[in-house]
Amino acid sequence: MTMKLMKADDMAATTDNIIDETDENLVRIGEMAKKYGVTLRTLRFYEDKGLLNPQREGSTRLYTHREETRLKLILLGRKVGFSLRDVKQMMDLYEPNGSNTKQLRVALDKSEKQLARLNKQRQAIDEAIGELTDAMAVVRSKLAEQRPMPVAAND
C-alpha cells in the first residue's frame, strides 16, 4: 500500500491547528493502520513509546484527528530519516496555545543536520553507482572479447 504524506508546509499548518478536543470522528486501530499502511504492531509500538495516545473504550483503541496528525508527523519524520527519539522530542515541544518558537527552531536544526547527512549519503550512492557502472562495462568488454569455446564431440 502506498502511503501519501503531507508536504512540510501543509504539515506545519495542520500542526498549528492541533487542539485537545473531543473528536466525533474516532478511528479504530485497524482503520488507522490500513489508511497509513502500517501494522497494528507499529501503532501499538508508537503508543508504548509515548508518540501516540489513543482514547480507550475497553480494550479498543480509538484515534482522534489529533492522533492521526501525530501519526502523519511520525511517518514523515521516519521517511526523511529522523529517529523516533527526534520525532518525539519535536512533537513534545508543541504547545497548543504557544508560539512554538522553540519547537520550530529544534525542528529546523534537526532538519538541517539530517539534510546534510542525506546529501552525504546521496554523494556516496552516486559514487558507488559510478564505480559499479564502470566495473560492469569492463566485464561486458571482457565477455565480448571472448570467443565461444568449441564443444567437445563425443567420439
Side-chain angles (χ1 to χ4, degrees):
M1 169 178 253
T2 303
M3 173 177 47
K4 183 177 180 186
L5 296 174
M6 297 171 74
K7 291 183 181 174
D9 55 344
D10 295 335
M11 189 61 69
T14 302
T15 304
D16 288 342
N17 295 326
I18 296 177
I19 56 175
D20 289 325
E21 64 182 32
T22 303
D23 192 347
E24 294 178 13
N25 298 321
L26 298 176
V27 178
R28 291 177 178 261
I29 189 170
E31 297 170 55
M32 191 75 136
K34 185 176 180 182
K35 183 174 182 178
Y36 291 97
V38 297
T39 64
L40 301 177
R41 184 176 178 186
T42 297
L43 292 174
R44 290 185 199 109
F45 178 78
Y46 291 159
E47 183 180 350
D48 288 344
K49 295 297 181 187
L51 293 159
L52 296 175
N53 187 24
Q55 294 179 8
R56 297 286 187 123
E57 275 187 19
S59 63
T60 303
R61 290 171 170 86
L62 299 170
Y63 294 85
T64 62
H65 177 70
R66 178 182 187 276
E67 294 307 308
E68 189 170 350
T69 300
R70 288 179 66 91
L71 178 60
K72 289 177 188 177
L73 288 169
I74 294 164
L75 296 175
L76 175 63
R78 296 300 293 147
K79 182 177 183 180
V80 299
F82 287 125
S83 68
L84 287 179
R85 179 180 293 156
D86 286 340
V87 171
K88 183 172 183 347
Q89 181 185 11
M90 289 184 281
M91 287 195 314
D92 287 350
L93 291 172
Y94 177 73
E95 296 179 29
N97 299 317
S99 68
N100 292 301
T101 303
K102 184 175 181 180
Q103 180 196 35
L104 296 172
R105 284 188 179 138
V106 168
L108 183 58
D109 180 57
K110 288 184 180 298
S111 296
E112 288 171 344
K113 289 176 182 172
Q114 182 60 18
L115 183 59
R117 279 190 291 270
L118 291 172
N119 280 324
K120 277 185 175 179
Q121 288 176 350
R122 180 178 18 195
Q123 181 180 359
I125 289 170
D126 287 344
E127 289 173 10
I129 289 171
E131 290 174 15
L132 183 57
T133 301
D134 292 346
M136 290 170 61
V138 169
V139 170
R140 283 189 180 104
S141 174
K142 288 188 184 263
L143 283 173
E145 292 171 2
Q146 290 182 358
R147 294 185 184 150
M149 300 289 289
V151 179
N154 290 338
D155 293 332

